[in-house]
Amino acid sequence: MADGAVYKTLMSVDTRESGSYLDGAKRRMRARIYDLAHASFAAAGVARSMLHLEDRGDGFIAAVDARIPPVRLLGTWLAEMHQRQRVGNEDLARRLGLRVGLHVGPVEHDEEGLSGHAMDLVCRLADSPVTRTVLDRSGRDLVLVVSASLHHEVVRHGGRFVEPSAYRSARVALKEGPVTAWFHVPGEARPRVPGDEGFDTLPVDASSGENGGGASTGAEAEGRPGPGKDAGHAAPDPAGRPAADGDPRVPGTEAWPVDTGSGAHWDIKVEGGTSVVQDRATFRGPVRFGSGGGADHEDWPTRGDRGLGGRGAGDDSAPNDSRSTGQDNGSTENPR
């Protein structure tokens, strides 16, 4: 250890997909990060005089005074960050995603800031491809990665808001060579890491255009839906994507109750073919609205398929006023 270097808890905070934010959105994103971090430091009893913090554009690095035990940052500080971030993200069309690295080691201060191998390590852990992927695969908005030494000396012993079983280890390739790091995703009992079955498959609600990927418009950064997006709803799922319950829809016949939230509802009969999107679930048609026969029940589209329950195009038994004649799909809905 060089003269003047002292052991401190070192921190690196990076933003998910920060390069895709437009300038105005990036300013607001940075303000949110600092609001979250300083409020969480205060809740953890870390005064600003005990904190050396340097801006990195899409986040910051920090050295916390050795008088603050690392377990307080792993526990109270992280818990406060998670809860404050979760509440704040409820109002954003594009949720703020963060990668946090923690390590304890020697660090030097000079007029230009912090330096030392320990500082390099914590920055590279937070910025590593494995850390990015663990966050993406979690479908959540915050991941913590800690060094093997910090895990051995602090995490595995537990503490207030520190649950050792909620950490998973994985090998991480750095410039200096591979190292072992430990990952924790607040809100997850055990995060998925490389080597787990299905790790290479994104979950349904994982980061996408709204949750970290793609360009951010000013409207999205303000929590308002961008062009082509409905407030409070995800974009329609592409064809072939799993339904909302995570199971792929296959051709066949299934009954789906649909609640509009107003007390009215429809019975939707799915019979293979054309698909309809209803609030993040994909229904494959032809789709029948209404549960009974007779003049007040219609099929859409008919395709002349009597064998699947639809009236044929030439079925004279159907009343003339119950036919769908190229009208908007909404005209075939029969609330009851």
Side-chain angles (χ1 to χ4, degrees):
M1 182 174 67
D3 293 342
V6 295
Y7 276 79
K8 294 188 175 184
T9 302
L10 307 175
M11 178 183 295
S12 175
V13 176
D14 284 343
T15 304
R16 174 176 58 200
E17 298 290 344
S18 61
S20 63
Y21 281 82
L22 301 180
D23 286 348
K26 183 168 289 189
R27 285 193 299 271
R28 292 182 285 274
M29 172 266 287
R30 284 162 43 83
R32 291 188 186 99
I33 293 174
Y34 282 109
D35 287 345
L36 289 170
H38 285 303
S40 300
F41 279 126
V46 181
R48 296 209 180 195
S49 60
M50 296 180 169
L51 180 69
H52 180 97
L53 188 148
E54 295 180 15
D55 182 69
R56 286 294 183 268
D58 60 349
F60 63 85
I61 59 173
V64 182
D65 195 289
R67 290 173 291 175
I68 301 298
V71 71
R72 195 184 300 175
L73 300 175
L74 292 162
T76 303
W77 182 84
L78 186 68
E80 288 285 338
M81 281 287 289
H82 170 55
Q83 293 302 323
R84 294 171 187 274
Q85 179 194 24
R86 182 179 62 81
V87 172
N89 276 347
E90 291 176 353
D91 296 327
L92 299 179
R94 178 181 183 177
R95 303 195 305 258
L96 175 67
L98 298 175
R99 304 185 306 275
V100 177
L102 281 177
H103 174 52
V104 173
V107 63
E108 294 192 54
H109 294 260
D110 57 29
E111 290 94 356
E112 305 302 327
L114 303 170
S115 64
H117 173 76
M119 195 75 251
D120 293 341
L121 174 61
V122 74
C123 290
R124 285 171 183 163
L125 287 177
D127 193 45
S128 73
V130 174
T131 305
R132 293 171 182 266
T133 306
V134 169
L135 179 60
D136 289 343
R137 297 306 185 265
S138 73
R140 295 182 180 265
D141 302 314
L142 180 63
V143 62
L144 171 70
V145 54
V146 304
S147 63
S149 60
L150 180 58
H151 180 271
H152 181 78
E153 298 296 336
V154 181
V155 173
R156 71 187 182 98
H157 300 289
R160 181 175 174 80
F161 303 129
V162 179
E163 178 52 60
S165 66
Y167 285 73
R168 298 282 308 283
S169 64
R171 295 291 282 175
V172 178
L174 304 180
K175 288 183 179 181
E176 297 80 4
V179 300
T180 297
W182 289 78
F183 296 89
H184 170 53
V185 176
E188 295 283 339
R190 286 173 66 79
R192 292 196 298 169
V193 297
D196 287 349
E197 183 178 358
F199 180 76
D200 294 329
T201 302
L202 279 169
V204 172
D205 293 329
S207 305
S208 60
E210 286 192 327
N211 297 344
S216 170
T217 66
E220 290 170 325
E222 290 294 340
R224 295 177 281 114
K229 295 182 180 176
D230 294 330
H233 289 79
D237 294 335
R241 181 175 178 174
D245 61 359
D247 296 327
R249 300 291 91 187
V250 296
T253 300
E254 299 181 38
W256 287 74
V258 177
D259 188 350
T260 65
S262 63
H265 74 277
W266 291 264
D267 293 329
I268 298 180
K269 191 172 184 181
V270 183
E271 300 177 332
T274 310
S275 63
V276 173
V277 174
Q278 171 65 36
D279 193 23
R280 303 181 66 188
T282 299
F283 305 101
R284 303 192 185 279
V287 179
R288 173 180 297 170
F289 296 92
S291 60
D296 60 348
H297 133 241
E298 298 180 9
D299 294 336
W300 176 89
T302 63
R303 293 178 175 257
D305 195 344
R306 303 169 191 249
L308 293 178
R311 293 192 180 94
D315 193 340
D316 296 334
S317 64
N320 292 334
D321 60 354
S322 68
R323 310 299 299 174
S324 175
T325 57
Q327 296 172 338
D328 184 90
N329 290 344
S331 66
T332 67
E333 297 178 353
N334 182 27
R336 57 179 176 82

